[in-house]
Each structure stands twice: as C-alpha cells, then as structure tokens.
Amino acid sequence: MKRMHVHVGVTDLDRSIAFYSTLFGAEPSVTKPDYAKWMLEDPRVNFAISAGNHAATGIEHLGIQVEDGDELVEVYGRLRAADRPVLEEGATTCCYAKSEKSWIADPDGVVWEAFLTEGEATVYGDSPALSALSDNARPDACCAPQIAPAPKPACC
C-alpha cells in the first residue's frame, strides 16, 4: 500500500516537533538534530521536517512512498507517462534512509519523488539542489541530484 510523503522545511525544529506531535497526536518515529519524521497511519503519510541547510521553509517536496519493488515499478511507469522529465536517481542515501528513488516536477514546478525505503542510514545523506528540477526549490536542499532543468517555454 502506498503512502503519501510530505517534507516541510522549518526554522525551529524543536518548536515544530512540539507542534506536529500535538497536531498528529503522536511523537516522531525518527528524531535527529536536524530532522524528524512521523510514519502516520491515519492519515497514511510519511511526514518529515528538517531545519538548517537541508530545507527552505514551507513545502520542500512531496512524494509517493511504496512498500515493495512491484509498487515502485508501477509508480515509475506513471512518472514516465506524465510526459515530464524524470530523473531516475536509483540507490541513494537521503533523510537518514537508504532508498531507491526517482524525481519529477509538475508543470508548475512542484517537486515529487517516488521511492522505496530499503533501510536506515546514520547520516542525512547528499543534499544536492532540488532547484535543478524546479525554480520553486531552494538551491541547496535535500535530496534530489543535480540535473539540468527542463527548458522553459517562450512566454507571450
């Protein structure tokens, strides 16, 4: 079963952990000095926050987390069918997790990832620029690899 992923950049991690723990009625399942994550069942969401160099404030990116390889193949097929540039990142370490992932940006520049988490990591991971996918993203945020942005259409 797939799970929605939301990653939000915050300015004060401790204050935000207190807020979201109250909002969700649950403590984070992962807490690091610069990151926290809730794996909620109701609603079924992987909700993460990070502070410092990892994220701008606000919605950093969205995603679809899958539970197995077959679901990942299905979602990757949807990414390719969306008729937008897809970056097939493959195996990576990001947000204290080892994952297999690909990235896409919607027509308005909202960045999405599709991923299968394969284990925990002791480091946050590489933080190349999401701005490579979208002008809406902070240049030094987690976790998309750098690629050339899609050409912009000529304006009116």
Side-chain angles (χ1 to χ4, degrees):
M1 177 184 297
K2 295 166 203 69
R3 180 184 302 267
M4 182 73 173
H5 170 60
V6 178
H7 189 121
V8 175
V10 300
T11 56
D12 184 327
L13 191 70
D14 291 335
R15 191 170 144 195
S16 294
I17 288 172
F19 171 82
Y20 286 114
S21 293
T22 301
L23 180 67
F24 299 144
E27 294 298 315
S29 56
V30 175
T31 305
K32 303 290 183 181
D34 54 355
Y35 176 84
K37 176 175 73 175
W38 290 258
M39 294 293 282
L40 303 170
E41 293 302 322
D42 184 16
R44 189 165 167 75
V45 64
N46 167 343
F47 185 88
I49 60 175
S50 58
N53 294 329
H54 302 304
T57 56
I59 301 293
E60 188 61 42
H61 64 271
L62 302 170
I64 299 171
Q65 181 178 12
V66 300
E67 291 185 359
D68 61 44
D70 290 339
E71 285 183 342
L72 190 61
V73 168
E74 174 192 342
V75 174
Y76 278 3
R78 291 181 192 168
L79 293 181
R80 287 189 291 280
D83 198 28
R84 304 277 306 155
V86 174
L87 174 63
E88 296 178 12
E89 184 177 9
T92 188
T93 297
C94 180
C95 302
Y96 298 100
K98 295 176 184 176
S99 301
E100 171 79 23
K101 66 175 67 180
S102 287
W103 296 87
I104 195 167
D106 79 3
D108 292 309
V110 176
V111 177
W112 283 81
E113 66 178 322
F115 65 101
L116 171 63
T117 300
E118 297 172 327
E120 295 181 14
T122 58
V123 296
Y124 191 88
D126 296 327
S127 294
L130 283 175
S131 63
L133 294 174
S134 169
D135 290 338
N136 293 345
R138 179 174 160 170
D140 58 350
C142 181
C143 289
Q146 295 183 13
I147 61 167
K152 294 183 179 184
C155 187
C156 332

